[in-house]
Amino acid sequence: MDCTKTLRLRIKDKHATVLAAMAREVNQVWNFCNETSHRAIRERHQFLTGYDLQKLTNGFSKC
């Protein structure tokens, strides 16, 4: 018998601005990786691995 548990959370309003800013930053990195991968495939016919993308996004956490 499988049992699935669900966790429900309510984020307080004071944390909403911080979480929204963090979501924007993650979205920027995601979009950068998608665009870079697409360009590499289109222009050089080369698929970028996770290691390649990690090297390219290494400095994003400091921005």
Side-chain angles (χ1 to χ4, degrees):
M1 180 174 165
D2 292 328
C3 181
T4 303
K5 294 184 180 183
T6 303
L7 178 65
R8 293 182 183 201
L9 296 174
R10 182 176 182 273
I11 304 300
K12 300 283 184 178
D13 292 335
K14 68 180 181 178
H15 301 295
T17 55
V18 175
L19 289 174
M22 291 167 79
R24 275 191 301 274
E25 293 168 2
V26 169
N27 195 19
Q28 281 184 324
V29 173
W30 175 262
N31 289 337
F32 173 77
C33 289
N34 281 338
E35 180 184 352
T36 304
S37 295
H38 182 69
R39 287 184 63 199
I41 291 170
R42 187 181 65 226
E43 294 172 4
R44 293 181 284 169
H45 304 290
Q46 177 186 10
F47 181 78
L48 297 177
T49 65
Y51 297 111
D52 297 331
L53 292 173
Q54 184 178 4
K55 290 177 187 174
L56 292 173
T57 58
N58 204 8
F60 271 86
S61 62
K62 296 173 184 161
C63 294

Short mmCIF file of all heavy atoms in Angstrom, two decimals:
data_model
loop_
_atom_site.label_atom_id
_atom_site.label_comp_id
_atom_site.label_asym_id
_atom_site.label_seq_id
_atom_site.Cartn_x
_atom_site.Cartn_y
_atom_site.Cartn_z
N MET A 1 0.85 -1.19 0.00
CA MET A 1 0.00 0.00 0.00
C MET A 1 0.89 1.24 0.00
O MET A 1 1.73 1.41 0.87
CB MET A 1 -0.89 -0.02 1.23
CG MET A 1 -1.80 1.15 1.33
SD MET A 1 -2.90 0.89 2.73
CE MET A 1 -3.51 2.50 2.90
N ASP A 2 0.73 2.07 -1.01
CA ASP A 2 1.50 3.32 -1.11
C ASP A 2 0.79 4.43 -0.36
O ASP A 2 -0.43 4.55 -0.40
CB ASP A 2 1.68 3.73 -2.57
CG ASP A 2 2.57 2.76 -3.31
OD1 ASP A 2 3.48 2.21 -2.67
OD2 ASP A 2 2.37 2.57 -4.51
N CYS A 3 1.59 5.23 0.30
CA CYS A 3 1.05 6.36 1.05
C CYS A 3 1.72 7.64 0.55
O CYS A 3 2.94 7.72 0.51
CB CYS A 3 1.31 6.17 2.54
SG CYS A 3 0.64 7.49 3.54
N THR A 4 0.92 8.61 0.16
CA THR A 4 1.45 9.88 -0.31
C THR A 4 1.07 10.96 0.69
O THR A 4 -0.10 11.10 1.05
CB THR A 4 0.87 10.24 -1.68
OG1 THR A 4 1.18 9.19 -2.59
CG2 THR A 4 1.45 11.54 -2.19
N LYS A 5 2.07 11.71 1.13
CA LYS A 5 1.82 12.80 2.07
C LYS A 5 1.95 14.12 1.33
O LYS A 5 2.80 14.29 0.48
CB LYS A 5 2.82 12.76 3.22
CG LYS A 5 2.65 11.55 4.10
CD LYS A 5 3.59 11.61 5.28
CE LYS A 5 3.39 10.38 6.15
NZ LYS A 5 4.23 10.42 7.34
N THR A 6 1.10 15.04 1.67
CA THR A 6 1.11 16.36 1.06
C THR A 6 1.41 17.40 2.13
O THR A 6 0.81 17.39 3.20
CB THR A 6 -0.26 16.67 0.42
OG1 THR A 6 -0.56 15.65 -0.52
CG2 THR A 6 -0.24 18.02 -0.26
N LEU A 7 2.33 18.26 1.83
CA LEU A 7 2.70 19.33 2.73
C LEU A 7 2.12 20.64 2.20
O LEU A 7 2.37 21.02 1.07
CB LEU A 7 4.22 19.44 2.84
CG LEU A 7 4.77 20.55 3.71
CD1 LEU A 7 4.37 20.33 5.17
CD2 LEU A 7 6.26 20.62 3.58
N ARG A 8 1.36 21.31 3.03
CA ARG A 8 0.78 22.59 2.63
C ARG A 8 1.45 23.69 3.43
O ARG A 8 1.56 23.61 4.64
CB ARG A 8 -0.71 22.61 2.90
CG ARG A 8 -1.47 21.65 2.03
CD ARG A 8 -2.93 21.76 2.31
NE ARG A 8 -3.63 20.76 1.51
CZ ARG A 8 -4.91 20.83 1.20
NH1 ARG A 8 -5.63 21.83 1.65
NH2 ARG A 8 -5.47 19.90 0.47
N LEU A 9 1.89 24.72 2.70
CA LEU A 9 2.55 25.85 3.33
C LEU A 9 1.88 27.14 2.90
O LEU A 9 1.42 27.27 1.77
CB LEU A 9 4.02 25.92 2.91
CG LEU A 9 4.92 24.78 3.33
CD1 LEU A 9 6.28 24.95 2.70
CD2 LEU A 9 5.04 24.71 4.83
N ARG A 10 1.87 28.08 3.79
CA ARG A 10 1.43 29.43 3.45
C ARG A 10 2.61 30.35 3.69
O ARG A 10 3.13 30.43 4.79
CB ARG A 10 0.26 29.88 4.31
CG ARG A 10 -0.22 31.27 3.90
CD ARG A 10 -1.44 31.69 4.69
NE ARG A 10 -1.89 32.98 4.25
CZ ARG A 10 -1.43 34.13 4.73
NH1 ARG A 10 -0.51 34.13 5.67
NH2 ARG A 10 -1.87 35.28 4.27
N ILE A 11 3.04 31.00 2.64
CA ILE A 11 4.18 31.90 2.73
C ILE A 11 3.68 33.24 3.29
O ILE A 11 2.71 33.80 2.81
CB ILE A 11 4.83 32.11 1.35
CG1 ILE A 11 5.22 30.77 0.73
CG2 ILE A 11 6.02 33.04 1.45
CD1 ILE A 11 6.20 29.98 1.53
N LYS A 12 4.36 33.71 4.29
CA LYS A 12 3.98 34.99 4.88
C LYS A 12 4.27 36.11 3.88
O LYS A 12 5.16 36.03 3.06
CB LYS A 12 4.78 35.24 6.17
CG LYS A 12 4.56 34.21 7.23
CD LYS A 12 3.25 34.42 7.91
CE LYS A 12 3.10 33.42 9.05
NZ LYS A 12 1.88 33.59 9.78
N ASP A 13 3.50 37.17 3.99
CA ASP A 13 3.64 38.29 3.06
C ASP A 13 5.01 38.95 3.14
O ASP A 13 5.50 39.48 2.16
CB ASP A 13 2.55 39.33 3.33
CG ASP A 13 1.17 38.80 2.97
OD1 ASP A 13 1.09 37.88 2.13
OD2 ASP A 13 0.18 39.30 3.53
N LYS A 14 5.65 38.91 4.29
CA LYS A 14 6.96 39.56 4.41
C LYS A 14 8.04 38.85 3.61
O LYS A 14 9.06 39.43 3.29
CB LYS A 14 7.38 39.67 5.88
CG LYS A 14 7.68 38.36 6.55
CD LYS A 14 8.09 38.57 7.99
CE LYS A 14 8.41 37.24 8.66
NZ LYS A 14 8.86 37.43 10.03
N HIS A 15 7.82 37.59 3.26
CA HIS A 15 8.80 36.82 2.48
C HIS A 15 8.50 36.85 0.99
O HIS A 15 9.31 36.38 0.19
CB HIS A 15 8.84 35.38 2.96
CG HIS A 15 9.20 35.22 4.39
ND1 HIS A 15 10.43 35.57 4.89
CD2 HIS A 15 8.48 34.77 5.44
CE1 HIS A 15 10.46 35.33 6.18
NE2 HIS A 15 9.29 34.84 6.55
N ALA A 16 7.38 37.37 0.60
CA ALA A 16 6.96 37.33 -0.80
C ALA A 16 7.91 38.09 -1.71
O ALA A 16 8.22 37.62 -2.81
CB ALA A 16 5.54 37.87 -0.95
N THR A 17 8.41 39.25 -1.29
CA THR A 17 9.29 40.03 -2.16
C THR A 17 10.63 39.33 -2.36
O THR A 17 11.18 39.34 -3.46
CB THR A 17 9.52 41.43 -1.57
OG1 THR A 17 10.00 41.31 -0.24
CG2 THR A 17 8.24 42.24 -1.57
N VAL A 18 11.15 38.71 -1.31
CA VAL A 18 12.42 38.00 -1.42
C VAL A 18 12.27 36.78 -2.33
O VAL A 18 13.12 36.52 -3.18
CB VAL A 18 12.92 37.58 -0.02
CG1 VAL A 18 14.17 36.73 -0.13
CG2 VAL A 18 13.19 38.80 0.84
N LEU A 19 11.19 36.04 -2.15
CA LEU A 19 10.96 34.86 -2.99
C LEU A 19 10.74 35.24 -4.45
O LEU A 19 11.19 34.54 -5.36
CB LEU A 19 9.77 34.06 -2.46
CG LEU A 19 10.02 33.34 -1.15
CD1 LEU A 19 8.73 32.71 -0.65
CD2 LEU A 19 11.10 32.29 -1.29
N ALA A 20 10.07 36.36 -4.69
CA ALA A 20 9.86 36.81 -6.07
C ALA A 20 11.18 37.20 -6.71
O ALA A 20 11.43 36.90 -7.89
CB ALA A 20 8.89 37.98 -6.10
N ALA A 21 12.07 37.85 -5.96
CA ALA A 21 13.38 38.22 -6.49
C ALA A 21 14.21 36.97 -6.79
O ALA A 21 14.89 36.90 -7.82
CB ALA A 21 14.11 39.11 -5.50
N MET A 22 14.16 36.00 -5.91
CA MET A 22 14.89 34.75 -6.13
C MET A 22 14.35 34.02 -7.36
O MET A 22 15.13 33.45 -8.14
CB MET A 22 14.81 33.87 -4.90
CG MET A 22 15.58 34.43 -3.72
SD MET A 22 15.19 33.61 -2.17
CE MET A 22 16.15 32.12 -2.30
N ALA A 23 13.04 34.03 -7.55
CA ALA A 23 12.44 33.38 -8.71
C ALA A 23 12.88 34.06 -10.00
O ALA A 23 13.14 33.38 -11.00
CB ALA A 23 10.92 33.39 -8.58
N ARG A 24 12.97 35.39 -10.00
CA ARG A 24 13.44 36.11 -11.19
C ARG A 24 14.88 35.73 -11.52
O ARG A 24 15.23 35.53 -12.68
CB ARG A 24 13.35 37.62 -10.97
CG ARG A 24 12.00 38.21 -11.29
CD ARG A 24 12.04 39.72 -11.33
NE ARG A 24 12.49 40.30 -10.06
CZ ARG A 24 11.69 40.56 -9.03
NH1 ARG A 24 10.42 40.29 -9.10
NH2 ARG A 24 12.19 41.08 -7.92
N GLU A 25 15.73 35.62 -10.49
CA GLU A 25 17.13 35.26 -10.73
C GLU A 25 17.26 33.86 -11.29
O GLU A 25 18.03 33.63 -12.23
CB GLU A 25 17.91 35.38 -9.42
CG GLU A 25 18.03 36.81 -8.93
CD GLU A 25 18.53 36.91 -7.51
OE1 GLU A 25 18.82 35.85 -6.89
OE2 GLU A 25 18.64 38.03 -6.99
N VAL A 26 16.51 32.93 -10.75
CA VAL A 26 16.54 31.56 -11.26
C VAL A 26 16.03 31.52 -12.69
O VAL A 26 16.59 30.82 -13.55
CB VAL A 26 15.71 30.63 -10.35
CG1 VAL A 26 15.50 29.27 -10.98
CG2 VAL A 26 16.39 30.48 -9.00
N ASN A 27 15.01 32.31 -12.99
CA ASN A 27 14.46 32.34 -14.33
C ASN A 27 15.46 32.91 -15.33
O ASN A 27 15.55 32.45 -16.46
CB ASN A 27 13.17 33.17 -14.33
CG ASN A 27 12.37 32.96 -15.58
OD1 ASN A 27 12.54 31.98 -16.29
ND2 ASN A 27 11.48 33.89 -15.86
N GLN A 28 16.24 33.91 -14.92
CA GLN A 28 17.27 34.47 -15.79
C GLN A 28 18.32 33.43 -16.14
O GLN A 28 18.74 33.32 -17.30
CB GLN A 28 17.93 35.67 -15.14
CG GLN A 28 17.13 36.94 -15.22
CD GLN A 28 17.90 38.11 -14.64
OE1 GLN A 28 18.62 37.97 -13.66
NE2 GLN A 28 17.74 39.27 -15.25
N VAL A 29 18.77 32.68 -15.16
CA VAL A 29 19.77 31.64 -15.41
C VAL A 29 19.19 30.56 -16.32
O VAL A 29 19.85 30.10 -17.25
CB VAL A 29 20.29 31.04 -14.09
CG1 VAL A 29 21.21 29.86 -14.34
CG2 VAL A 29 21.00 32.10 -13.27
N TRP A 30 17.95 30.17 -16.07
CA TRP A 30 17.28 29.16 -16.89
C TRP A 30 17.18 29.62 -18.34
O TRP A 30 17.51 28.87 -19.26
CB TRP A 30 15.89 28.88 -16.32
CG TRP A 30 15.08 27.94 -17.14
CD1 TRP A 30 14.13 28.26 -18.06
CD2 TRP A 30 15.16 26.50 -17.14
NE1 TRP A 30 13.60 27.13 -18.61
CE2 TRP A 30 14.21 26.04 -18.07
CE3 TRP A 30 15.93 25.59 -16.44
CZ2 TRP A 30 14.03 24.69 -18.31
CZ3 TRP A 30 15.73 24.25 -16.69
CH2 TRP A 30 14.80 23.80 -17.61
N ASN A 31 16.76 30.86 -18.54
CA ASN A 31 16.64 31.39 -19.91
C ASN A 31 18.00 31.50 -20.59
O ASN A 31 18.13 31.22 -21.78
CB ASN A 31 15.95 32.76 -19.89
CG ASN A 31 14.48 32.65 -19.56
OD1 ASN A 31 13.87 31.60 -19.75
ND2 ASN A 31 13.92 33.73 -19.06
N PHE A 32 19.04 31.89 -19.84
CA PHE A 32 20.38 31.97 -20.40
C PHE A 32 20.85 30.59 -20.86
O PHE A 32 21.40 30.44 -21.95
CB PHE A 32 21.35 32.54 -19.37
CG PHE A 32 22.78 32.50 -19.81
CD1 PHE A 32 23.27 33.42 -20.73
CD2 PHE A 32 23.65 31.54 -19.31
CE1 PHE A 32 24.59 33.37 -21.15
CE2 PHE A 32 24.97 31.49 -19.72
CZ PHE A 32 25.44 32.41 -20.64
N CYS A 33 20.63 29.58 -20.03
CA CYS A 33 21.05 28.22 -20.39
C CYS A 33 20.29 27.72 -21.62
O CYS A 33 20.88 27.08 -22.50
CB CYS A 33 20.83 27.27 -19.22
SG CYS A 33 21.99 27.53 -17.86
N ASN A 34 18.99 27.98 -21.68
CA ASN A 34 18.21 27.57 -22.85
C ASN A 34 18.70 28.25 -24.12
O ASN A 34 18.86 27.61 -25.16
CB ASN A 34 16.73 27.86 -22.63
CG ASN A 34 16.08 26.84 -21.75
OD1 ASN A 34 16.55 25.73 -21.60
ND2 ASN A 34 14.97 27.23 -21.15
N GLU A 35 18.92 29.55 -24.04
CA GLU A 35 19.37 30.29 -25.22
C GLU A 35 20.77 29.84 -25.66
O GLU A 35 21.02 29.65 -26.85
CB GLU A 35 19.39 31.79 -24.92
CG GLU A 35 19.84 32.62 -26.09
CD GLU A 35 19.93 34.10 -25.74
OE1 GLU A 35 19.49 34.49 -24.65
OE2 GLU A 35 20.46 34.84 -26.58
N THR A 36 21.66 29.65 -24.70
CA THR A 36 23.02 29.22 -25.02
C THR A 36 23.03 27.83 -25.64
O THR A 36 23.74 27.58 -26.62
CB THR A 36 23.89 29.24 -23.75
OG1 THR A 36 23.83 30.54 -23.17
CG2 THR A 36 25.32 28.89 -24.06
N SER A 37 22.23 26.92 -25.10
CA SER A 37 22.15 25.57 -25.65
C SER A 37 21.59 25.60 -27.07
O SER A 37 22.10 24.92 -27.96
CB SER A 37 21.28 24.69 -24.77
OG SER A 37 21.86 24.52 -23.52
N HIS A 38 20.56 26.39 -27.27
CA HIS A 38 19.94 26.47 -28.59
C HIS A 38 20.91 27.03 -29.62
O HIS A 38 21.02 26.52 -30.74
CB HIS A 38 18.68 27.34 -28.51
CG HIS A 38 17.95 27.45 -29.80
ND1 HIS A 38 17.28 26.40 -30.38
CD2 HIS A 38 17.80 28.50 -30.65
CE1 HIS A 38 16.76 26.79 -31.52
NE2 HIS A 38 17.05 28.07 -31.71
N ARG A 39 21.65 28.09 -29.23
CA ARG A 39 22.63 28.67 -30.16
C ARG A 39 23.76 27.71 -30.47
O ARG A 39 24.24 27.65 -31.61
CB ARG A 39 23.19 29.97 -29.59
CG ARG A 39 22.19 31.11 -29.64
CD ARG A 39 22.79 32.39 -29.16
NE ARG A 39 23.88 32.77 -30.04
CZ ARG A 39 24.84 33.63 -29.71
NH1 ARG A 39 24.84 34.18 -28.52
NH2 ARG A 39 25.78 33.92 -30.57
N ALA A 40 24.22 26.95 -29.48
CA ALA A 40 25.31 26.00 -29.71
C ALA A 40 24.88 24.90 -30.67
O ALA A 40 25.64 24.49 -31.55
CB ALA A 40 25.76 25.39 -28.39
N ILE A 41 23.65 24.44 -30.53
CA ILE A 41 23.16 23.40 -31.42
C ILE A 41 22.97 23.96 -32.83
O ILE A 41 23.35 23.33 -33.82
CB ILE A 41 21.84 22.81 -30.88
CG1 ILE A 41 22.12 22.02 -29.60
CG2 ILE A 41 21.17 21.92 -31.91
CD1 ILE A 41 20.88 21.60 -28.84
N ARG A 42 22.39 25.16 -32.92
CA ARG A 42 22.10 25.76 -34.22
C ARG A 42 23.36 26.16 -34.97
O ARG A 42 23.50 25.90 -36.17
CB ARG A 42 21.19 26.97 -34.04
CG ARG A 42 20.67 27.56 -35.33
CD ARG A 42 19.78 28.77 -35.10
NE ARG A 42 20.59 29.84 -34.49
CZ ARG A 42 20.22 30.57 -33.46
NH1 ARG A 42 19.06 30.35 -32.89
NH2 ARG A 42 20.99 31.50 -32.97
N GLU A 43 24.32 26.78 -34.28
CA GLU A 43 25.49 27.33 -34.96
C GLU A 43 26.65 26.34 -35.09
O GLU A 43 27.34 26.33 -36.09
CB GLU A 43 25.97 28.59 -34.23
CG GLU A 43 24.98 29.72 -34.29
CD GLU A 43 25.37 30.90 -33.41
OE1 GLU A 43 26.47 30.87 -32.80
OE2 GLU A 43 24.58 31.85 -33.33
N ARG A 44 26.88 25.54 -34.05
CA ARG A 44 28.04 24.65 -34.07
C ARG A 44 27.67 23.17 -34.14
O ARG A 44 28.55 22.32 -34.14
CB ARG A 44 28.89 24.89 -32.82
CG ARG A 44 29.53 26.25 -32.80
CD ARG A 44 30.35 26.42 -31.58
NE ARG A 44 29.45 26.65 -30.45
CZ ARG A 44 29.80 26.64 -29.18
NH1 ARG A 44 31.03 26.39 -28.85
NH2 ARG A 44 28.93 26.87 -28.23
N HIS A 45 26.37 22.87 -34.12
CA HIS A 45 25.89 21.50 -34.13
C HIS A 45 26.51 20.71 -32.97
O HIS A 45 26.93 19.57 -33.12
CB HIS A 45 26.18 20.80 -35.46
CG HIS A 45 25.61 21.53 -36.62
ND1 HIS A 45 24.26 21.61 -36.87
CD2 HIS A 45 26.22 22.27 -37.60
CE1 HIS A 45 24.06 22.33 -37.95
NE2 HIS A 45 25.23 22.75 -38.42
N GLN A 46 26.56 21.36 -31.81
CA GLN A 46 27.18 20.76 -30.63
C GLN A 46 26.20 20.86 -29.47
O GLN A 46 25.65 21.92 -29.20
CB GLN A 46 28.47 21.50 -30.27
CG GLN A 46 29.15 20.99 -29.03
CD GLN A 46 30.34 21.85 -28.66
OE1 GLN A 46 30.55 22.92 -29.21
NE2 GLN A 46 31.11 21.39 -27.71
N PHE A 47 25.98 19.74 -28.79
CA PHE A 47 25.10 19.71 -27.63
C PHE A 47 25.91 20.02 -26.38
O PHE A 47 26.95 19.42 -26.14
CB PHE A 47 24.45 18.33 -27.50
CG PHE A 47 23.52 18.22 -26.34
CD1 PHE A 47 22.25 18.75 -26.42
CD2 PHE A 47 23.90 17.60 -25.17
CE1 PHE A 47 21.37 18.65 -25.36
CE2 PHE A 47 23.04 17.51 -24.11
CZ PHE A 47 21.77 18.03 -24.20
N LEU A 48 25.47 21.00 -25.58
CA LEU A 48 26.17 21.37 -24.34
C LEU A 48 25.70 20.48 -23.20
O LEU A 48 24.51 20.28 -23.00
CB LEU A 48 25.92 22.83 -24.00
CG LEU A 48 26.42 23.86 -25.00
CD1 LEU A 48 26.04 25.27 -24.54
CD2 LEU A 48 27.92 23.76 -25.16
N THR A 49 26.65 19.98 -22.44
CA THR A 49 26.32 19.16 -21.28
C THR A 49 26.07 20.04 -20.08
O THR A 49 26.29 21.25 -20.11
CB THR A 49 27.46 18.18 -20.97
OG1 THR A 49 28.62 18.93 -20.59
CG2 THR A 49 27.79 17.31 -22.17
N GLY A 50 25.66 19.43 -19.00
CA GLY A 50 25.46 20.15 -17.76
C GLY A 50 26.75 20.75 -17.24
O GLY A 50 26.75 21.84 -16.64
N TYR A 51 27.85 20.07 -17.46
CA TYR A 51 29.16 20.58 -17.04
C TYR A 51 29.54 21.84 -17.82
O TYR A 51 30.09 22.78 -17.26
CB TYR A 51 30.24 19.52 -17.20
CG TYR A 51 30.01 18.31 -16.33
CD1 TYR A 51 29.66 17.09 -16.88
CD2 TYR A 51 30.15 18.40 -14.95
CE1 TYR A 51 29.44 15.99 -16.09
CE2 TYR A 51 29.94 17.30 -14.15
CZ TYR A 51 29.58 16.10 -14.71
OH TYR A 51 29.37 15.02 -13.91
N ASP A 52 29.24 21.84 -19.12
CA ASP A 52 29.51 23.03 -19.94
C ASP A 52 28.70 24.22 -19.46
O ASP A 52 29.21 25.33 -19.33
CB ASP A 52 29.19 22.75 -21.41
CG ASP A 52 30.06 21.66 -22.00
OD1 ASP A 52 31.21 21.51 -21.55
OD2 ASP A 52 29.59 20.98 -22.93
N LEU A 53 27.43 23.99 -19.19
CA LEU A 53 26.57 25.08 -18.73
C LEU A 53 26.96 25.56 -17.35
O LEU A 53 26.86 26.74 -17.04
CB LEU A 53 25.11 24.63 -18.75
CG LEU A 53 24.52 24.39 -20.14
CD1 LEU A 53 23.14 23.78 -20.04
CD2 LEU A 53 24.49 25.67 -20.94
N GLN A 54 27.44 24.65 -16.51
CA GLN A 54 27.89 25.05 -15.18
C GLN A 54 29.09 25.99 -15.27
O GLN A 54 29.18 26.96 -14.53
CB GLN A 54 28.23 23.82 -14.35
CG GLN A 54 28.61 24.15 -12.92
CD GLN A 54 28.90 22.90 -12.11
OE1 GLN A 54 28.89 21.80 -12.62
NE2 GLN A 54 29.16 23.09 -10.84
N LYS A 55 29.99 25.71 -16.20
CA LYS A 55 31.15 26.58 -16.39
C LYS A 55 30.72 27.96 -16.88
O LYS A 55 31.28 28.97 -16.48
CB LYS A 55 32.12 25.97 -17.40
CG LYS A 55 32.84 24.75 -16.89
CD LYS A 55 33.71 24.16 -17.98
CE LYS A 55 34.32 22.84 -17.56
NZ LYS A 55 35.05 22.20 -18.65
N LEU A 56 29.71 28.01 -17.73
CA LEU A 56 29.24 29.28 -18.28
C LEU A 56 28.46 30.11 -17.27
O LEU A 56 28.44 31.33 -17.34
CB LEU A 56 28.37 29.03 -19.51
CG LEU A 56 29.10 28.47 -20.72
CD1 LEU A 56 28.09 28.10 -21.81
CD2 LEU A 56 30.11 29.47 -21.24
N THR A 57 27.81 29.45 -16.31
CA THR A 57 26.98 30.16 -15.33
C THR A 57 27.69 30.28 -13.99
O THR A 57 27.05 30.61 -12.98
CB THR A 57 25.64 29.45 -15.13
OG1 THR A 57 25.88 28.12 -14.69
CG2 THR A 57 24.82 29.46 -16.40
N ASN A 58 28.97 30.09 -13.95
CA ASN A 58 29.71 30.08 -12.70
C ASN A 58 29.64 31.41 -11.95
O ASN A 58 29.56 31.43 -10.74
CB ASN A 58 31.18 29.71 -12.97
CG ASN A 58 31.85 29.14 -11.75
OD1 ASN A 58 31.21 28.88 -10.76
ND2 ASN A 58 33.15 28.94 -11.86
N GLY A 59 29.63 32.54 -12.62
CA GLY A 59 29.65 33.82 -11.96
C GLY A 59 28.27 34.42 -11.69
O GLY A 59 28.17 35.51 -11.12
N PHE A 60 27.20 33.75 -12.06
CA PHE A 60 25.87 34.30 -11.90
C PHE A 60 25.49 34.50 -10.45
O PHE A 60 24.73 35.40 -10.12
CB PHE A 60 24.82 33.42 -12.57
CG PHE A 60 24.57 33.75 -14.01
CD1 PHE A 60 25.35 33.22 -15.00
CD2 PHE A 60 23.54 34.60 -14.35
CE1 PHE A 60 25.13 33.53 -16.32
CE2 PHE A 60 23.31 34.92 -15.67
CZ PHE A 60 24.11 34.38 -16.65
N SER A 61 26.01 33.71 -9.54
CA SER A 61 25.60 33.83 -8.14
C SER A 61 26.16 35.11 -7.51
O SER A 61 25.60 35.62 -6.55
CB SER A 61 26.10 32.62 -7.34
OG SER A 61 27.53 32.57 -7.36
N LYS A 62 27.23 35.66 -8.09
CA LYS A 62 27.80 36.89 -7.56
C LYS A 62 27.10 38.13 -8.08
O LYS A 62 27.20 39.20 -7.51
CB LYS A 62 29.28 36.96 -7.88
CG LYS A 62 30.05 35.85 -7.18
CD LYS A 62 31.48 35.79 -7.60
CE LYS A 62 32.11 34.59 -6.91
NZ LYS A 62 33.32 34.17 -7.56
N CYS A 63 26.39 37.98 -9.21
CA CYS A 63 25.63 39.11 -9.77
C CYS A 63 24.43 39.37 -8.91
O CYS A 63 23.95 40.37 -8.67
CB CYS A 63 25.19 38.80 -11.19
SG CYS A 63 26.54 38.65 -12.35
#
